[in-house]
Amino acid sequence: MRWVAALLMGMATLTVVGCMSLAQIAPPVDVLDRGVVGDSGIEVGALVRGRDHYLRHCGNCHALEPIGDYSEADWRGILPGMIKRCRLDAVKAEELRDYVMVVRGHLDRRG
Amino acid sequence: MDRDLMRCRRSWVWSTVVSAVWLCVTPGASEAGARRFTYSYEALTHPRGEVEYEQWVTWKTSKRDDRTYDRLEFRHELEFGVTDDFQLGVYVSDWRYTDGNSVKDDGADWRNVAVEGIYNLTHPIADPLGLSLYGEVKLGDELFELEAKLLLEKDFGPWALVYNPTIEAEWEGDDFHERKGKFEQTAGISYQVMPQLMVGAEVLHEISFDEWSTQSDHAIWLGPNVSYWKDNWWITVTPLFQTTHVDGEPDFQLRMLIGIEF
């Protein structure tokens, strides 16, 4: 049974490392620049849901893509096609799109 | 011709026709994400409304007490995303072909139909650990089987790690009086090399209990896996080598799954 113990420990380690790196790939809403969030006019609750859709849907076919790896213009090109692949309803699709764009704005403001 | 063989052929023809019809009547295929493992399940289920056909082939060969032994197992399965969290699978037909000096009835043999349900509780990325519950009921001519699994998964960037403990209760024979219990665990690790290509390894560990009392030897198999997907289809292959020395178990087995999503 030693390999089961090793495996479970491996999973636990990945869980911890995974949670840490997730904050880099798709930052939680509470660390985002307040000015950017405020200017977007989007409710914080909707952004939190948008992040959740991102985590639940965008890593199911390929590894989750760090939002910072693509520019705002890139995302405008990429998102429509990827959202379609996720089969999200219109509300969820909008929340996901808003979240990505606000994170992009946050990263741009931070430089 | 042998009656079982006829029945096999019929069910094979039938399920091929069914899948061909599905392919024709469901345009606008969705993009598929491949199954990364063949002996293990991942925690995620199909989204609501998604339908997938899975063709399973498992080849088991060369037992220590019969080097001429060969068995090919076939499964034709349809899976449906009932809700975003619940998926239903129907094994339209499981059948097999066996050959070897130690085999009493060589040839093809229809086995069973089955229904499986998977309920997803937590997500492997969004939650600390992905978890789903799996239940299955199999019914054949002289076979009734219940199976329960836990599907655990953690994804980290391009890596995925899974673990499935399984418990099985089987009733076989003329009047289902031969009882057997089985404990099985599988685990796998997989790395995504490109969006469409994943490679990794899987391990399978089995112990069975005849009449729920006599415990068999522990049998363990280990091997690499590779999985590729494109558009709406995918293929995953795992060759497994026995690392223990259990006489009645195959030294080598290979499973290939092909999935087509609609």
Side-chain angles (χ1 to χ4, degrees):
Chain A
M1 291 303 105
R2 227 173 306 151
W3 65 268
V4 177
L7 188 94
L8 291 175
M9 270 168 63
M11 275 188 160
T13 313
L14 280 189
T15 301
V16 174
V17 180
C19 289
M20 280 170 4
S21 70
L22 222 48
Q24 311 245 290
I25 293 172
V29 174
D30 55 13
V31 307
L32 297 181
D33 187 287
R34 293 196 178 191
V36 174
V37 173
D39 290 350
S40 74
I42 298 156
E43 230 188 288
V44 169
L47 291 174
V48 170
R49 287 193 297 277
R51 178 175 190 257
D52 196 58
H53 306 325
Y54 194 86
L55 300 186
R56 277 175 205 280
H57 296 279
C58 298
N60 297 352
C61 295
H62 47 68
L64 213 55
E65 292 276 357
I67 295 174
D69 282 6
Y70 299 88
S71 70
E72 187 181 326
D74 289 340
W75 278 119
R76 288 197 192 283
I78 294 167
L79 278 179
M82 290 299 146
I83 285 174
K84 208 163 135 200
R85 292 185 193 210
C86 296
R87 301 181 173 220
L88 294 177
D89 62 37
V91 175
K92 287 183 176 171
E94 191 174 333
E95 288 170 344
L96 192 151
R97 204 178 310 115
D98 288 345
Y99 166 74
V100 172
M101 289 309 173
V102 168
V103 170
R104 204 42 269 186
H106 155 86
L107 294 171
D108 289 340
R109 174 141 339 163
R110 293 278 159 106
Chain B
M1 196 190 319
D2 169 56
R3 212 189 64 208
D4 280 341
L5 186 60
M6 290 265 296
R7 201 156 16 157
C8 276
R9 293 233 167 114
R10 264 206 311 270
S11 66
W12 166 238
V13 168
W14 190 66
S15 47
T16 309
V17 169
V18 168
S19 45
V21 169
W22 266 112
L23 266 175
C24 298
V25 300
T26 48
S30 78
E31 291 283 341
R35 268 184 66 169
R36 290 176 176 230
F37 307 99
T38 60
Y39 289 83
S40 293
Y41 284 80
E42 287 147 274
L44 287 182
T45 51
H46 293 297
R48 186 165 72 92
E50 193 165 277
V51 180
E52 183 181 82
Y53 175 75
E54 275 185 19
Q55 178 62 55
W56 293 50
V57 183
T58 308
W59 175 40
K60 297 178 173 169
T61 189
S62 188
K63 293 181 176 177
R64 284 168 81 83
D65 54 10
D66 179 7
R67 290 297 177 201
T68 63
Y69 179 87
D70 274 307
R71 173 174 279 169
L72 276 169
E73 297 172 352
F74 299 91
R75 167 170 300 164
H76 316 289
E77 182 185 0
L78 277 169
E79 292 182 349
F80 308 88
V82 179
T83 68
D84 281 343
D85 306 319
F86 181 66
Q87 152 184 337
L88 208 60
V90 178
Y91 303 174
V92 183
S93 186
D94 283 0
W95 59 283
R96 65 192 190 185
Y97 181 89
T98 321
D99 193 18
N101 292 341
S102 65
V103 182
K104 269 185 279 162
D105 309 309
D106 276 7
D109 176 20
W110 179 81
R111 294 294 289 165
N112 57 270
V113 291
V115 182
E116 91 184 7
I118 302 180
Y119 186 69
N120 176 246
L121 295 167
T122 56
H123 192 278
I125 300 173
D127 299 308
L129 186 65
L131 172 66
S132 291
L133 306 177
Y134 173 113
E136 179 191 306
V137 182
K138 264 190 196 150
L139 185 64
D141 265 352
E142 296 182 356
L143 172 75
F144 178 68
E145 196 182 297
L146 297 174
E147 193 176 310
K149 286 182 201 285
L150 286 181
L151 315 181
L152 284 96
E153 177 182 355
K154 186 62 201 170
D155 290 4
F156 167 54
W159 293 93
L161 209 53
V162 292
Y163 173 58
N164 301 167
T166 302
I167 185 113
E168 244 177 75
E170 208 178 282
W171 291 263
E172 256 191 296
D174 294 345
D175 49 4
F176 300 96
H177 68 277
E178 296 161 33
R179 296 181 311 154
K180 196 159 141 185
K182 208 173 186 185
F183 174 66
E184 190 184 285
Q185 42 186 353
T186 64
I189 183 163
S190 165
Y191 179 79
Q192 186 168 33
V193 187
M194 303 185 300
Q196 263 111 343
L197 181 71
M198 277 87 65
V199 294
E202 273 182 85
V203 58
L204 161 68
H205 171 210
E206 275 180 15
I207 325 170
S208 54
F209 303 87
D210 279 340
E211 296 300 322
W212 284 100
S213 56
T214 328
Q215 184 188 325
S216 73
D217 292 326
H218 293 257
I220 297 176
W221 291 263
L222 180 69
N225 65 26
V226 56
S227 134
Y228 177 81
W229 67 278
K230 192 165 171 25
D231 302 330
N232 69 326
W233 64 271
W234 52 264
I235 178 167
T236 306
V237 181
T238 315
L240 287 185
F241 303 86
Q242 195 186 159
T243 59
T244 43
H245 302 286
V246 181
D247 282 348
E249 298 290 350
D251 273 351
F252 177 78
Q253 49 181 314
L254 180 139
R255 180 170 289 166
M256 179 181 74
L257 302 184
I258 294 176
I260 303 167
E261 265 175 40
F262 305 108

